[in-house]
Amino acid sequence: MRKKGLKIIAMIVMISMMVSLIGCSSSSTSGNSGGGVKFINIATASTGGTYYPIGVGMATLWTEKLKGVNASAQSSAGSVENIELLRNGEAQLAIFQGLIGSMAYQGKGIFEGKKYDGLRSISMLWPNVEHFVLKENLAKTGNILDLKGSNFSVGPQASGTEQSTMVIFEGVGLSKADIKPDYLGYNDSAEAIKDGRISGASMPAGIPVAAVTDLYASKAGVKILEFTDEQLASINKLYNTWFRFVIPVGTYPGQKEEIKTIAQPNWLGVANTVDEKLVYDLTKTLFENLDYMYSVHNSAKNIKLETALNGLPVPLHIGAYKYFKEKGLKIPEYLIPPEAK
């Protein structure tokens, strides 16, 4: 009986090992060009924001349309954490703010000494539009330099808003010493402007920004400041990720003229270790199913082939590069992947 029992245990162990081997051979990671299921994890941000639902939408699209692809979206703390998730192989794709991607790729700013040169881009998704709002009586020229001497909110301390605001300040020759800084969120900034506690605030986001709409609707007497082409070029010498953006007439209540501001991209990034054909297929499937993506979230309506390269801060992945070349896009030299040179 004892020998019989040992034989049964041995058989169970052998069967378990065979099942494990079969399971391993039937799947592959997203960076592997072999057969089997390719698992893709897309890092986004908190579930209450825009990154997460758009990430879920892309994951659903790719899983449904691409045979052998199993994609899922992961909530995270946002762009900074997403860099580490890609670097450590815990995610294969991620959504980023343009500035954070540029800092990581160059090893500058908060990524000083932690350069991530394996970061690649797939596409701009939707623009993060700069809204430097100032009381009209102080906006003498309507240019960003009108901020000098104002009581101005640069965004919550250590926020992405504060970081991008300070880079823009440096690019146009301003600093915190030129203003009386405050550190408020968007809604609090709008209330403080209406109450006369501050003169203006930085509120970057996709248009229309609710807090800015509130200021215009309540006739708070504010103006969104503009940037010259020279100022845009100077900012991009620091981090090459901003592009020209014109806020159309009527975006905000009573707005009768276009506003020539700038924007940085919220963009889709990928590790350079992910398989070339897989990234080609992901890119192609995304742009051939835009109607589906447009139904996912209003911000997704900005995903367009003609703006796919706007503000991308790092070279394209070789797979995305090949797709865009096929579609006839003129690709700037700095976006050509090292693998294609």
Side-chain angles (χ1 to χ4, degrees):
M1 290 291 292
R2 187 181 175 192
K3 286 184 179 179
K4 187 177 180 181
L6 289 171
K7 284 182 179 180
I8 292 171
I9 292 170
M11 287 177 65
I12 291 171
V13 171
M14 287 179 67
I15 291 168
S16 298
M17 290 175 66
M18 289 173 68
V19 169
S20 296
L21 287 169
I22 291 168
C24 290
S25 64
S26 66
S27 64
S28 66
T29 65
S30 61
N32 191 335
S33 59
V37 177
K38 294 179 173 65
F39 293 95
I40 302 169
N41 188 25
I42 309 162
T44 61
S46 65
T47 55
T50 305
Y51 282 25
Y52 184 74
I54 289 182
V56 170
M58 290 189 294
T60 303
L61 172 67
W62 290 328
T63 300
E64 289 182 355
K65 295 289 185 180
L66 292 173
K67 185 178 179 181
V69 169
N70 188 328
S72 59
Q74 170 188 346
S75 63
S76 75
S79 295
V80 176
E81 183 184 13
N82 291 353
I83 292 291
E84 301 310 320
L85 291 172
L86 251 63
R87 195 199 301 264
N88 298 331
E90 296 173 56
Q92 290 71 49
L93 281 76
I95 301 176
F96 298 101
Q97 181 196 78
L99 177 60
I100 299 302
S102 186
M103 285 180 169
Y105 187 71
Q106 296 183 60
K108 292 170 64 175
I110 59 174
F111 292 97
E112 187 77 40
K114 296 185 292 181
K115 183 178 180 180
Y116 181 29
D117 54 13
L119 183 60
R120 297 289 182 270
S121 59
I122 292 180
S123 177
M124 197 274 275
L125 297 175
W126 73 97
N128 207 36
V129 183
E130 302 296 345
H131 291 70
F132 282 82
V133 179
L134 187 65
K135 292 290 285 184
E136 277 184 312
N137 64 312
L138 297 177
K140 304 296 185 184
T141 69
N143 184 267
I144 184 71
L145 296 180
D146 288 341
L147 290 178
K148 265 193 172 182
S150 67
N151 297 324
F152 190 79
S153 173
V154 297
Q157 286 186 314
S159 67
T161 296
E162 184 190 13
Q163 287 190 46
S164 61
T165 299
M166 289 299 95
V167 169
I168 289 169
F169 269 30
E170 183 181 352
V172 300
L174 293 173
S175 72
K176 279 187 182 176
D178 292 312
I179 61 169
K180 296 171 185 173
D182 213 326
Y183 303 90
L184 303 173
Y186 294 9
N187 290 335
D188 288 341
S189 289
E191 290 304 314
I193 290 170
K194 287 189 283 187
D195 293 346
R197 287 178 282 130
I198 61 173
S199 306
S202 175
M203 304 181 188
I207 60 171
V209 182
V212 179
T213 298
D214 175 38
L215 286 169
Y216 273 77
S218 61
K219 295 182 170 31
V222 296
K223 187 176 184 67
I224 299 170
L225 301 177
E226 297 189 317
F227 293 78
T228 66
D229 291 342
E230 291 75 20
Q231 287 168 336
L232 172 57
S234 294
I235 295 164
N236 277 335
K237 284 179 182 176
L238 300 173
Y239 295 99
N240 189 22
T241 191
W242 276 273
F243 54 94
R244 172 64 66 197
F245 190 94
V246 177
I247 300 175
V249 171
T251 299
Y252 296 106
Q255 179 204 339
K256 297 178 181 178
E257 296 181 351
E258 292 181 336
I259 300 168
K260 296 179 178 66
T261 184
I262 60 176
Q264 60 174 306
N266 292 303
W267 60 286
L268 182 61
V270 59
N272 67 342
T273 53
V274 179
D275 178 59
E276 176 184 320
K277 185 179 185 308
L278 177 58
V279 175
Y280 173 89
D281 290 340
L282 295 175
T283 309
K284 179 181 172 71
T285 302
L286 175 64
F287 283 97
E288 289 186 353
N289 293 275
L290 289 178
D291 284 345
Y292 169 78
M293 287 304 303
Y294 293 170
S295 71
V296 169
H297 194 283
N298 278 339
S299 290
K301 293 175 182 176
N302 290 283
I303 305 174
K304 299 173 184 177
L305 191 61
E306 58 266 31
T307 59
L309 306 181
N310 282 5
L312 292 180
V314 306
L316 289 163
H317 187 283
I318 186 70
Y321 170 76
K322 289 191 172 181
Y323 174 75
F324 292 136
K325 284 278 285 184
E326 283 181 10
K327 301 305 289 185
L329 266 63
K330 184 177 180 181
I331 299 172
E333 179 69 22
Y334 73 93
L335 289 182
I336 297 175
E339 299 84 356
K341 293 180 179 179

